[in-house]
Amino acid sequence: MTDQSKDLKVQAKAQKINGVRGMNDLLPADAAQWEHLDHVLRDVARAYGYEFLRTPILEATAVFQRGIGEVTDIVEKEMYSFEDRLNGEQLTLRPEGTAALVRSVIENNLLYEGPKRLWYTGPMFRHERPQRGRYRQFHQFGIEALGFAGPDIDAEIILMGQRLWDELGLKGVRLEINSLGQANERAEHRAALVTYFEKNTAQLDEDSQRRLMTNPLRILDSKNPEMQALIEGAPKLLDFLGAESLKHFNAVQALLKSNNIPCKINPRLVRGLDYYNLTVFEWVTDELGAQGTIAGGGRYDPLIERMGGKAAPACGWAMGMERVLELMKVSGSLPEPQAQCDIFVLHQGGETLTAAMIIAERLRSAGIDTILFCPPDGESASFKSQMKKADSSGAAFAVIIGPDELAKDEAQIKDLRASGEQKSIPLDGVLEAVMNALVGASE
Ligand code: HAM
């Protein structure tokens, strides 16, 4: 073959197209874990009377600019934003759920009849550098309680988190908590921070020098190791809180204590989004390397008004589902892989296929998960190769309909797990025989 003809051959073979970096497929082997997680999340949300709300994945960019704040990593660097080619609208793939949910609550007037407890789940998008536990498309479960002002709801949403970690069997999760006070208290603290950092500008990295003018609180959030000593010595917001803010913070802590939820006050916890006031918190673990925050949230009383709604208090949190699943793996609490089906039906094509398909439908109508063998070549396959598939499906029993069985109006049922026993049953008694066998197997 000449080089030219080799080139032509290579060109003729279609190039494979890969997924987008940092955006992962959920493969069948992991589906059962996600399903299990979804179940537990739904159950816990229900247990506390939270209602489901789903917003679209795309929102007007302004939702996040105004909601999360212009001077945040998310809005400055991480959003997937683009202009709609048809009408020039500025759109953004949601980087988080809270601002979008508040947009929906206002637009649909959901607080009209009073406070609301809501939850959501779904994909979020942030253009971060992918690494273990940090992806460009990731999934959050979040809860938001809107219209409640007291510390009781702060404590309630934290209790929900603790219940979740317990139900999921997570080990080594710590709760860190702080109070960001109110705007006037943060303003006083901000002035003190600016004075402090201005005296030490040489030690600030480029990002922090910029933030000194725009959002100095964010400097406390910096992970730059060379700035940690400087940050450690900075004025603490907690020292600037007034009596009301302290009362709220103390009440939250007292409620947590009376429910045996240990927490550590972390004065440097400021969160990466700008809508918070008063209580903020994060659940962290040392088991996942650098991305050890599995969930975070807090109170965001100013947000609803800032988004154009009638002022109402609110609080909530969201967890990273990939990180929680990873921690479940580390904690050894992932569920066992599930069988694909209860029953695997084998046949030899032709009339035996017709009978097998009718029987498989009858089993499914009775709530029995059933896979009907379909030969990959569209023709037929030996019983031996079908039986291999039946075994690897994890089915408890195989139902076999060959020409000999069909001629006698019979089928065979074979135990695939325990005894391996195989016996003949009347064709019109397959459902009954299968039900009895499944009941017997589960006893
Ligand atoms: P957040 O701290 O930005 O808060 O995100 C919440 C959680 O999402 C994080 O603790 C982390 O587990 C997960 N997460 C964030 N970014 C990534 C990523 N790139 N890859 C994987 N997981 C990630 C919020 O989003 C707020 N909306 C939480 C909230 C709700 N506050 C009040 N209500």
Side-chain angles (χ1 to χ4, degrees):
M1 206 186 287
T2 65
D3 278 357
Q4 202 185 1
S5 62
K6 260 193 220 155
D7 280 356
L8 283 174
K9 208 168 163 204
V10 170
Q11 275 171 24
K13 194 170 167 243
Q15 290 278 318
K16 88 177 165 145
I17 303 171
N18 290 329
V20 177
R21 189 162 120 84
M23 305 201 179
N24 299 317
D25 301 308
L26 164 56
L27 300 176
D30 297 326
Q33 303 167 12
W34 282 84
E35 221 171 278
H36 169 71
L37 180 57
D38 273 340
H39 253 102
V40 175
L41 298 174
R42 261 163 223 274
D43 284 353
V44 170
R46 267 201 85 77
Y48 288 79
Y50 283 63
E51 298 174 284
F52 182 67
L53 185 148
R54 183 169 63 201
T55 59
I57 286 166
L58 267 186
E59 293 279 347
T61 303
V63 167
F64 305 111
Q65 283 171 333
R66 211 186 313 162
I68 299 170
E70 297 272 6
V71 193
T72 54
D73 277 351
I74 297 179
V75 173
E76 283 180 341
K77 307 185 216 167
E78 296 168 2
M79 294 205 304
Y80 284 89
S81 298
F82 58 94
E83 190 182 295
D84 186 319
R85 273 193 294 173
L86 297 181
N87 60 10
E89 247 181 302
Q90 283 299 325
L91 301 175
T92 293
L93 282 174
R94 65 179 181 201
E96 62 109 40
T98 310
L101 178 136
V102 166
R103 192 270 310 141
S104 170
V105 163
I106 296 169
E107 193 170 339
N108 295 293
N109 207 9
L110 292 190
L111 295 184
Y112 178 67
E113 286 174 353
K116 277 264 173 230
R117 290 172 159 99
L118 301 169
W119 70 277
Y120 56 90
T121 182
M124 309 289 160
F125 303 84
R126 295 184 193 176
H127 200 284
E128 296 188 84
R129 208 155 48 79
Q131 54 174 251
R132 181 186 181 202
R134 191 166 73 189
Y135 310 102
R136 290 182 174 170
Q137 176 179 316
F138 59 99
H139 295 76
Q140 281 188 348
F141 163 81
I143 56 166
E144 314 287 357
L146 305 121
F148 303 97
D152 48 353
I153 197 79
D154 305 36
E156 175 177 291
I157 62 171
I158 292 174
L159 289 181
M160 281 176 88
Q162 188 58 50
R163 183 174 294 276
L164 257 180
W165 317 143
D166 291 346
E167 300 263 326
L168 294 170
L170 299 191
K171 298 202 181 104
V173 181
R174 301 187 308 273
L175 174 65
E176 298 194 347
I177 182 165
N178 191 18
S179 174
L180 298 184
Q182 301 293 10
N184 59 329
E185 293 152 1
R186 283 197 300 281
E188 278 182 39
H189 173 241
R190 181 193 155 111
L193 263 190
V194 171
T195 310
Y196 172 81
F197 284 127
E198 268 176 354
K199 278 194 208 134
N200 300 282
T201 26
Q203 291 179 57
L204 294 178
D205 60 19
E206 205 181 307
D207 244 10
S208 301
Q209 294 206 3
R210 195 167 41 85
R211 290 197 164 150
L212 186 54
M213 294 305 129
T214 50
N215 196 343
L217 197 64
R218 248 324 68 75
I219 299 177
L220 302 180
D221 214 14
S222 165
K223 304 280 180 293
N224 183 345
E226 281 162 26
M227 283 171 42
Q228 296 310 305
L230 179 69
I231 291 173
E232 208 54 61
K236 304 223 174 342
L237 178 51
L238 281 179
D239 296 331
F240 291 77
L241 295 192
E244 278 302 305
S245 295
L246 277 176
K247 190 170 147 212
H248 189 99
F249 193 39
N250 290 336
V252 174
Q253 289 176 68
L255 286 168
L256 294 179
K257 192 156 181 230
S258 60
N259 281 284
N260 299 317
I261 309 280
C263 67
K264 187 183 132 206
I265 296 178
N266 176 358
R268 285 184 48 186
L269 183 66
V270 292
R271 307 276 302 131
L273 308 97
D274 268 355
Y275 43 61
Y276 294 109
N277 69 325
L278 295 175
T279 322
V280 287
F281 53 87
E282 283 181 353
W283 278 281
V284 292
T285 172
D286 298 327
E287 307 288 333
L288 298 181
Q291 306 305 319
T293 308
I294 59 164
R299 187 161 271 288
Y300 52 93
D301 297 331
L303 183 61
I304 299 178
E305 193 175 21
R306 201 203 286 175
M307 297 286 290
K310 187 162 162 260
C315 63
W317 57 262
M319 72 176 215
M321 294 174 73
E322 285 82 359
R323 291 185 192 177
V324 166
L325 279 168
E326 182 73 17
L327 189 56
M328 285 168 74
K329 198 191 285 173
V330 174
S331 308
S333 64
L334 281 179
E336 292 289 315
Q338 279 178 333
Q340 278 177 290
C341 60
D342 303 314
I343 302 295
F344 200 97
V345 182
L346 290 66
H347 60 86
Q348 284 291 294
E351 286 185 359
T352 63
L353 162 65
T354 309
M357 201 169 232
I358 290 170
I359 281 173
E361 279 298 284
R362 207 174 284 161
L363 296 181
R364 294 173 190 131
S365 297
I368 299 167
D369 300 339
T370 305
I371 291 182
L372 173 70
F373 178 78
C374 291
D377 66 358
E379 302 278 333
S380 64
S382 70
F383 271 139
K384 195 170 164 215
S385 69
Q386 293 190 44
M387 200 51 90
K388 267 196 192 153
K389 291 264 178 260
D391 276 329
S392 64
S393 75
F397 296 92
V399 169
I400 305 155
I401 305 170
D404 295 349
E405 285 83 17
L406 195 60
K408 291 189 273 178
D409 268 341
E410 282 182 355
Q412 304 261 341
I413 182 165
K414 180 176 165 64
D415 185 335
L416 295 178
R417 290 194 195 149
S419 65
E421 183 196 358
Q422 185 167 332
K423 61 180 183 200
S424 295
I425 46 174
L427 205 53
D428 59 7
V430 170
L431 175 59
E432 200 188 342
V434 162
M435 283 170 91
N436 288 338
L438 285 173
V439 170
S442 67
E443 273 167 0

